[in-house]
Amino acid sequence: MKFFVDTADIDAIRELNDLGMVDGVTTNPSLIKKSGRDIMEVTKEICDLVDGPVSAEVTATDAETMIAEGRKLAEIADNIAVKVPLTWDGLKACKVLADEGKMVNVTLCFSANQALLAAKAGATFISPFIGRLDDLNVDGLELIADIREIYDNYGFETQILAASIRTANHMSECAKIGADVATAPPAVIKGMANHVLTDKGLAAFVADIEAAGIKIL
Ligand code: G3P
């Protein structure tokens, strides 16, 4: 499973990228707002930092302007994936931009029907939002499994980019289901390393090292 980092924080991306943990980056208007930076400048900096796809979201809601914005975003770098919302206008923009050879990430997906439409519109990535379904006591991971089944039934090439990931459990469950990509905040990715028994076991090793005076250097 590919790991994308869901942030516009350059330092956080760099830290994980140096560890080889970054296969791509996703941003959205809320993450750009949080960065406090100009969308074009911060997106360019991210594209220069990572080799994989970098999702940058349009601001318009009508197809014509989404297409114009998507073309401008795609000029930033070859690894730009234009992000459009899963609306009828977004699907129209997806089709036009995908036919022009641009990567398109269709976002704000909350149903298997929406994911079917995005695949037929030529989306490179579909972004089903797990956490926001969980917030409604709907099983977000079940949506990932449904889309995986449907896409595999018909050989759709659209990649499932699991999004709105809130926990380390979401990451491992998405990997078990077979999501192509999971995009998560840096803290969630780093949190995947945590386990209380690891901490307990290491503390016991450190105590024995000190008690026995074990030295390597
Ligand atoms: O990529 C989508 C993600 O940023 C949304 O996450 O936690 O706001 O639902 P969240």
Side-chain angles (χ1 to χ4, degrees):
M1 186 171 78
K2 295 176 192 150
F3 284 19
F4 286 11
V5 185
D6 195 37
T7 185
D9 181 329
I10 293 292
D11 292 336
I13 296 169
R14 183 177 292 108
E15 180 186 9
L16 287 171
N17 195 45
D18 290 349
L19 270 174
M21 295 292 176
V22 178
D23 299 306
V25 175
T26 52
T27 66
N28 61 40
S30 302
L31 293 172
I32 297 295
K33 177 189 175 196
K34 188 175 180 182
S35 76
R37 296 190 55 186
D38 173 81
I39 182 173
M40 303 303 279
E41 287 176 8
V42 71
T43 302
K44 173 75 166 70
E45 195 169 338
I46 295 170
C47 289
D48 291 344
L49 186 58
V50 304
D51 297 328
V54 175
S55 291
E57 190 160 342
V58 298
T59 63
T61 54
D62 67 291
E64 185 181 352
T65 315
M66 282 187 205
I67 292 165
E69 290 183 335
R71 287 169 176 158
K72 185 173 181 184
L73 288 169
E75 287 173 358
I76 293 173
D78 292 343
N79 55 331
I80 282 283
V82 179
K83 216 176 189 183
V84 298
L86 214 155
T87 60
W88 205 247
D89 278 84
L91 291 169
K92 288 178 184 175
C94 175
K95 178 62 177 163
V96 169
L97 294 169
D99 286 352
E100 292 175 356
K102 296 173 176 67
M103 285 193 284
V104 183
N105 178 357
V106 180
T107 189
L108 288 169
C109 172
F110 295 96
S111 75
N113 280 327
Q114 287 181 319
L116 254 175
L117 291 173
K120 294 187 78 66
T124 312
F125 302 104
I126 182 66
S127 291
F129 279 32
I130 300 169
R132 296 192 190 184
L133 285 168
D134 288 357
D135 293 342
L136 300 179
N137 291 320
V138 175
D139 185 352
L141 287 166
E142 192 171 317
L143 174 59
I144 304 296
D146 289 348
I147 298 170
R148 179 74 286 157
E149 180 183 355
I150 292 168
Y151 279 14
D152 291 350
N153 285 346
Y154 300 98
F156 283 119
E157 294 183 4
T158 300
Q159 296 180 56
I160 300 172
L161 198 170
S164 186
I165 286 184
R166 308 276 179 78
T167 67
N169 185 57
H170 278 161
M171 294 294 283
S172 50
E173 288 301 315
C174 283
K176 285 162 68 178
I177 292 166
D180 300 284
V181 186
T183 193
V188 169
I189 294 174
K190 294 172 80 170
M192 291 170 74
N194 299 340
H195 198 294
V196 63
L197 291 180
T198 303
D199 297 342
K200 189 176 178 183
L202 183 59
F205 286 160
V206 168
D208 289 344
I209 288 164
E210 289 171 0
I214 301 170
K215 289 192 182 304
I216 295 172
L217 296 179

